[in-house]
Amino acid sequence: MTCASPVSTLDQWTRPLGVLRLSLTARCNLACPYCCPDSADPPGTLTLDQQLRLIRVAARLGVRTLRLTGGEPLLSDRLMPLLAGVADGRCTPGDPLVGLRDVALTTNGVLLSEGRARALKNTGLDRITVSLDAVDGAVAATMAGLRGGRSAGDGLVQQVLAGLVAARAAGFDPAAGDLKLNAVIQRGVNDDQLIPLAELARSQRMELRLIEYMDVGNRNGWRMDQVLPAEVMVQRIAEHWPLRSLGRTPGGTSRRWRYHDEVSDVGVVASISEPFCGDCNRLRITADGQAFTCLFAAQGTDLTPAMGSDQELEHAIRSLWQKRSDRYSEERHCTADSLPRAEMAYLGG
């Protein structure tokens, strides 16, 4: 396939399309209450060919970062063939996938064995972000929705730690940003884990990204008083280890800080207290082909009718993005919002 140069695609606020978050499954092997995953995938899950077509067309329209998500993407039998197809395209002159600079994966780390980590690296994955919301077993069990209390939580923490070791051994280098740790912080539930999580990440010389508890979907019973603002998180960590600001890169989700001793970095994703809608460049596509231009959207746009050809799909995505004007996080406090919204696990976060 011969392709022209990538086209810059802008929305109503002149925000370029730059990141594609593609969900491979809505299923998960954990049951985090803030995420509320489904027990089964929606009907009409995209085929491998359809997923590759989506990624190619998105790259043609300016996408430079592909992030594979879930649910838990390591549960998907489509993951490895998809990575292989993307890797082939990135090495083929004239293929739009040559323009992809970054292919990343978000996982809870439970299934990240040594063999799996090596296979991911060998099949062209550039980066892994592992989610862990607590070091203490009892708190980890609560955040993951596990039965069995502290014992189950301790087991989860050990599995995730083993996954981090496996990823590092496979060549995902934390110092290069190839391996990061995510944690959702909910006031009164796991905010006492801030310092233990920072200690863990520092011991691994790994960036820790702290995420404000968000009002995604309708199942999690979100309330504003459950949000610990990013500024407070940074202050608490800085009381133990001094930090200096690195700012936020255009289109990035996290404002970053570096420890004075240069051990590693801390990022804060402040969708509630410090919205960053102004340069949001992310398009989310669910496992069944629904496109969402905002994490907090009430409904998506079905792309499956346009899957017949690259031209049809390119027209559908370009049209959707050019009409985009959403900036929910910036408008959260000044608009009445009682509409149902898609759930986190379905959207892929």
Side-chain angles (χ1 to χ4, degrees), residues 108-245:
N108 59 38
V110 172
L111 301 175
L112 194 57
S113 65
E114 291 183 10
R116 179 67 64 87
R118 283 196 302 271
L120 290 169
K121 187 66 175 177
N122 292 339
T123 316
L125 187 68
D126 298 310
R127 293 192 295 118
I128 298 179
T129 300
V130 176
S131 298
L132 180 66
D133 299 325
V135 175
D136 177 84
V139 182
T142 297
M143 291 299 292
L146 297 179
R147 298 178 180 178
R150 181 176 297 279
S151 176
D154 285 340
L156 170 64
V157 172
Q158 292 306 310
Q159 285 178 303
V160 176
L161 293 179
L164 293 174
V165 171
R168 187 191 294 267
F172 294 98
D173 181 8
D178 301 343
L179 184 61
K180 299 181 182 180
L181 191 66
N182 266 5
V184 173
I185 303 299
Q186 187 174 355
R187 188 195 293 270
V189 181
N190 73 327
D191 56 319
D192 64 340
Q193 295 297 293
L194 270 173
I195 302 308
L197 284 165
E199 288 176 331
L200 170 61
R202 282 174 56 84
S203 72
Q204 301 272 336
R205 305 185 74 87
M206 182 183 308
E207 180 174 333
L208 172 65
R209 298 204 319 164
L210 301 166
I211 303 170
E212 290 180 341
Y213 178 43
M214 292 185 287
D215 51 331
V216 181
N218 299 96
R219 299 175 187 168
N220 62 12
W222 182 90
R223 300 193 315 271
M224 181 63 80
D225 62 6
Q226 297 171 317
V227 178
L228 188 70
E231 181 180 4
V232 176
M233 298 185 205
V234 172
Q235 288 174 348
R236 290 190 186 179
I237 291 176
E239 289 172 1
H240 289 74
W241 306 280
L243 295 164
R244 61 181 174 88
S245 176

Side-chain angles (χ1 to χ4, degrees), residues 46-100:
L46 297 178
T47 66
L48 177 62
D49 286 344
Q50 287 174 325
Q51 290 172 329
L52 287 169
R53 170 164 280 169
L54 269 170
I55 298 168
R56 277 197 168 86
V57 168
R60 173 73 179 85
L61 292 173
V63 161
R64 292 294 168 266
T65 296
L66 169 65
R67 180 168 289 276
L68 302 175
T69 68
E72 172 47 56
L74 294 184
L75 289 174
S76 173
D77 58 7
R78 196 74 48 74
L79 173 60
M80 298 310 296
L82 182 63
L83 282 173
V86 170
D88 285 346
R90 293 175 81 184
C91 296
T92 303
D95 194 307
L97 295 181
V98 170
L100 281 180

Side-chain angles (χ1 to χ4, degrees), residues 46 50-51 53-54 285 289 303-310 312-313:
L46 297 178
Q50 287 174 325
Q51 290 172 329
R53 170 164 280 169
L54 269 170
I285 299 180
L303 294 179
T304 56
M307 290 285 184
S309 70
D310 288 0
E312 288 180 89
L313 188 56

